[in-house]
Every structure is written in structure tokens, then in C-alpha cells.
Amino acid sequence: MFYGNVDKDTPVLSEFPEPVVARYIRIYPQRWNGSLCLRLEVLGCPLSAVSSYYTQQNEVTSTDNLDFRHHSYKDMRQLMKVVNEECPTITRIYNIGKSSRGLKIYAMEVSDNPGEHETGEPEFRYTAGLHGNEALGRELLLLLMQFLCKEYQDGNPRVRGLVTDTRIHLVPSLNPDGYELAHEAGSELGNWALGHWTEEGFDLFENFPDLASALWAAEERRLVPHQFPNHHIPIPEHYLSEDAAVAVETRAVMVWMDKNPFVLGANLQGGEKLVSFPFDTVRPSPPTPAAAPRPLDYEDEQSELQETPDHAVFRWLPISYASAHLTMTETFRGGCDTQDMTDAMGIVQGAKWHPRAGSMNDFSYLHTNCLELSIYLGCDKFPHESELQQEWENNKESLLTFMEQIHRGIKGVVTDQQGEPIANATIVVGGINHNVRTG
């Protein structure tokens, strides 16, 4: 942290505690008085032959021969087409809808029988680009497509097992309108907000129906589960009306979720480095009786953390990603903006860190069978192209390990007495107050 001056006439000299070898320097203003104006001169020197050791340390080498660059909408579409042509037997390109500007939201399916749901083969999804200026997730999914294709062709047994036993869906850009704005400014000139929202001004991640509050209100009235379900909670009528404040992209995602029996998924975001799991919504505290004295620190909006009935597995899933990541559990450096919120584990319950209602993760858990996490890939929302190779190395093992978690637990087919499979059979697990349905 470097402190600037308080008046424009006083220059301030700040020095790093030790020399830093770098190709790029990025400045994040944290706070200021009055209007913000920043002028900076960086004093440095080129590396000499003596420093070749540092040069080697700073260079990224990877065995994966992939396309490490930022892709515009047109470039993304072209790259997906190339992957599909290289691996036509295990890939399929489709779209889940259109953005408000009419750009198609493309998805890539990777499976040994693309286009088919196979009995007993679980469906997995990675999505990215909910916020258009968070570009790293988009590039990681494009790299993952290439990687799965190449490794499958090369006979990699781990990748072959994943592709054969799982139906994988990869959506690199849920908010293509926002990304085009951010991409135009580029990595250096973009900012924290440019392209974050959709063209219509929606934050897609928290634009879903708030089913958690509806569930808790029904619980208070003792309506669960006899009159109000504890799972597959229907979307409220007012939310489905044409004039509701719902993004077209959000509607497309909800239809997509209903159409495919996803079991596990994650959305890739940026601006922090951690994995977040439900609930993201905080539960209002019971009302204080009128006669009871109010505590000194009383707040009008009292609330409490609420764990999901599947809290144990919801803790394990983010650990599987964070622990396999090369730097995510190095929390001794603190968080991007504040202190470490993850108890040195790289994972946090959403409501403890950044509470909000109507998140994609809460909706997925309460409306479908799918357990969904948010993976925040780093402080820099739009890293420079030169950093993509290292970021791929940081995340590659995590992306694979998390997908493999879909094969934990029990799976099977529910049949009637004649052996015929039953659709939409409700399965109750003892001790977990959240049922699931068969496909």
C-alpha cells in the first residue's frame, strides 16, 4: 500500500521493500479525498545478465499448446467451431438463448454422446461471464474446451473417463453484451464497472427469484413440507410476467436449468480469490417482542446466517477446488480488498462474505437438483493476455478435480414393481431436510 500526497504540489516517493521483477505494473486506488487524480512515474532499470535467474522465474512455461489470448465474441465463436471440428464425436455447439442486443449465448457440450442425456450419466455445467468485465473465467472455459479435446484424442485416461462418464456443458459468456464493452477498452483501460452489467443494467448473478426468503417465511408459518415444498420451489408468478424486472439472459438461463437435469455446477467470476457456496441470502431474525428491551447494538434489519441442509457437502465441494488451486489457499496475503474472510481455507459461505438475495446459486439449489458454487478467480477482473498461461496452470487441476466430484455419492434408477423407471420420483435422505427428484 503506497500513500500519495494530500496536495498536488508535494511529490511523494515510495519504494518497494525489495526489488520487483515485472513486465507490467497495475495500480488499484483504494481511497482518496475529494476528486481522484493520479499521476505516477515509475523508476526502474532493465534486467542485466546477472539477473537472468529472475528472468527465468518470471517466464511461464506450459506443456499445453493452447490459444492463450483474449477472444472477442467473433473470436470465441470461431475457436468453439475449431474445437468442434477437431473433436466432432465428443463435442456439440448449441445456444441457450440471446442477449438483449441479440448475441447468441453459446454453449459447448463435451460428452461421448453429444446431444443425448444418458441414464446414469450426470450432467455438469461451468458458466462464466455473468459480469462482462470478468474475463478470466471466459478464457479458462475456452482453454478447457481445447484441453479436453486434445487430451481425449491423445488418450489421456483421466480425461477420457470424465468425457465418457459425464455430460459436460461449458458456457463461456453469459453476458456477451457486457464483455464486448469491456473488451473494447481492453485489459489496461477497463475498470471495475465497465461491462459488469447487462445492456439493460441488470446484475445477472442476483437477478434470480429469491426463493430462500419464501422458504423461510413458509417455515415460520409451519407450512413446510405439507403445503410448501422444501425442494424444487416453483418460480413466483409475478417473476414470470412479461413486465417483470428480469434480464432476457436470466430468463434464458432459467429455461436452460429446467431443460437439463444438472447435478453440479459452478459459475466463474472475478474481483476476489475464493470459492463461495450457498446460502447467499441471510435469514431475517425473529421479530423482537414489543415489550422486550432492545439491545444497545440493535439494528432495524437484524439477520442471521443460515446454513443449507446440505452444508457438509457444500463445504467439501469448494475445498476440492480451492485446495487443488496453486495459490487460492495462500490467504496469508489477505483478500483483495479486506482481510481474509475464508479462515485460511479459500472458501466462504456467501451470506457471511457478501450477502444478497436472488443469487444464481441459491436459486439453483432451491429450484433444481443442482449444487452450484461461485468461483472467484482473482483480484484482477481482466488480467493481461501475458498472464493467461499462468492462470491456466493455477486453475487447470482445480477445474478437473471439481468436475470429478460429480461422481461422489449414490446414483441409480427408481423403478416401479414392474421394473419401469419412474420420472420425477422424490427422494428423501434421512437427516437432510432437502429432497431431490429423479430425472
Side-chain angles (χ1 to χ4, degrees):
M1 185 77 80
F2 296 113
Y3 295 91
N5 55 10
V6 292
D7 64 275
K8 63 183 180 182
D9 300 318
T10 309
V12 174
L13 174 65
S14 299
E15 295 182 348
F16 288 103
E18 55 189 47
V20 173
V21 180
R23 279 177 287 183
Y24 304 94
I25 293 178
R26 181 163 299 221
I27 313 300
Y28 284 118
Q30 296 289 312
R31 63 185 72 86
W32 54 86
N33 295 319
S35 59
L36 170 66
C37 180
L38 177 66
R39 179 172 180 271
L40 182 84
E41 291 182 13
V42 180
L43 307 180
C45 54
L47 289 171
S48 64
V50 180
S51 303
S52 60
Y53 165 77
Y54 291 104
T55 312
Q56 290 162 9
Q57 292 292 95
N58 203 37
E59 287 302 314
V60 177
T61 54
S62 171
T63 54
D64 299 328
N65 181 25
L66 307 175
D67 184 4
F68 295 104
R69 63 192 174 94
H70 285 296
H71 295 78
S72 66
Y73 181 78
K74 186 178 173 184
D75 295 336
M76 176 189 77
R77 198 172 52 185
Q78 179 61 27
L79 184 140
M80 292 174 75
K81 188 180 172 199
V82 167
V83 172
N84 178 234
E85 287 169 352
E86 286 182 5
C87 292
T89 60
I90 62 163
T91 62
R92 175 178 74 101
I93 299 171
Y94 66 100
N95 76 78
I96 67 172
K98 289 184 179 179
S99 70
S100 55
R101 280 175 52 194
L103 297 179
K104 288 180 180 175
I105 302 172
Y106 284 108
M108 167 79 77
E109 179 191 337
V110 186
S111 166
D112 59 340
N113 283 299
E116 288 181 44
H117 171 74
E118 299 178 73
T119 304
E121 187 168 303
E123 307 238 359
F124 177 92
R125 68 170 182 251
Y126 272 134
T127 58
L130 280 159
H131 305 130
N133 61 340
E134 293 167 7
L136 181 54
R138 172 195 187 97
E139 297 309 326
L140 287 179
L141 292 193
L142 293 177
L143 290 164
L144 183 60
M145 292 172 195
Q146 300 170 62
F147 178 81
L148 292 175
C149 170
K150 289 176 187 293
E151 294 298 307
Y152 186 89
Q153 286 182 324
D154 291 346
N156 180 325
R158 184 183 186 189
V159 170
R160 279 193 165 256
L162 255 178
V163 173
T164 304
D165 299 333
T166 324
R167 191 177 181 207
I168 303 163
H169 302 255
L170 307 175
V171 184
S173 186
L174 284 174
N175 179 6
D177 299 348
Y179 179 78
E180 289 303 285
L181 266 181
H183 183 263
E184 196 176 328
S187 172
E188 288 83 1
L189 298 178
N191 61 42
W192 201 251
L194 184 69
H196 180 91
W197 295 276
T198 67
E199 181 81 1
E200 300 170 299
F202 292 106
D203 182 332
L204 290 181
F205 182 67
E206 46 194 278
N207 189 226
F208 290 81
D210 176 14
L211 301 182
S213 297
L215 173 66
W216 297 333
E219 283 179 352
E220 304 249 321
R221 297 167 61 197
R222 304 183 181 228
L223 301 177
V224 180
H226 309 294
Q227 296 179 49
F228 194 96
N230 71 2
H231 65 107
H232 290 81
I233 299 170
I235 299 170
E237 286 294 324
H238 67 84
Y239 195 88
L240 295 170
S241 66
E242 283 190 25
D243 58 347
V246 185
V248 292
E249 295 89 348
T250 307
R251 292 184 192 272
V253 171
M254 291 195 299
V255 170
W256 181 57
M257 286 179 173
D258 282 336
K259 200 179 286 184
N260 297 280
F262 294 113
V263 178
L264 181 64
N267 51 82
L268 308 184
Q269 300 192 44
E272 189 52 84
K273 189 184 282 187
L274 51 82
V275 185
S276 162
F277 59 94
F279 284 117
D280 294 309
T281 314
V282 290
R283 182 169 188 162
S285 296
T288 309
R294 291 183 173 186
L296 290 175
D297 60 346
Y298 175 83
E299 295 178 10
D300 287 338
E301 291 295 325
Q302 284 186 301
S303 57
E304 59 184 19
L305 278 184
Q306 176 79 20
E307 294 177 354
T308 67
D310 290 289
H311 187 68
V313 74
F314 260 133
R315 273 185 61 80
W316 164 252
L317 289 169
I319 286 171
S320 72
Y321 193 97
S323 61
H325 191 281
L326 295 189
T327 62
M328 194 170 277
T329 53
E330 294 178 1
T331 56
F332 54 84
R333 295 191 176 96
C336 296
D337 309 301
T338 56
Q339 76 279 15
D340 171 41
M341 290 289 297
T342 72
D343 296 328
M345 295 185 71
I347 72 166
V348 69
Q349 186 182 345
K352 179 183 177 184
W353 168 54
H354 188 179
R356 47 200 159 178
S359 76
M360 183 172 169
N361 295 352
D362 288 2
F363 174 79
S364 178
Y365 179 64
L366 294 174
H367 181 68
T368 76
N369 280 343
C370 185
L371 306 186
E372 174 105 5
L373 308 179
S374 290
I375 299 169
Y376 292 82
L377 298 164
C379 308
D380 193 346
K381 289 186 174 188
F382 206 129
H384 193 272
E385 209 160 79
S386 62
E387 299 170 59
L388 294 179
Q389 204 161 342
Q390 182 61 59
E391 288 296 350
W392 168 247
E393 296 301 320
N394 289 344
N395 287 276
K396 177 171 67 174
E397 178 60 32
S398 298
L399 290 165
L400 297 173
T401 299
F402 182 66
M403 281 196 283
E404 289 166 340
Q405 303 313 304
I406 201 168
H407 295 289
R408 281 180 166 267
I410 298 169
K411 55 180 150 179
V413 180
V414 176
T415 62
D416 61 18
Q417 288 178 316
Q418 284 70 45
E420 292 297 316
I422 302 172
N424 291 321
T426 300
I427 299 175
V428 182
V429 180
I432 295 180
N433 187 27
H434 181 80
N435 302 342
V436 293
R437 282 187 193 160
T438 59

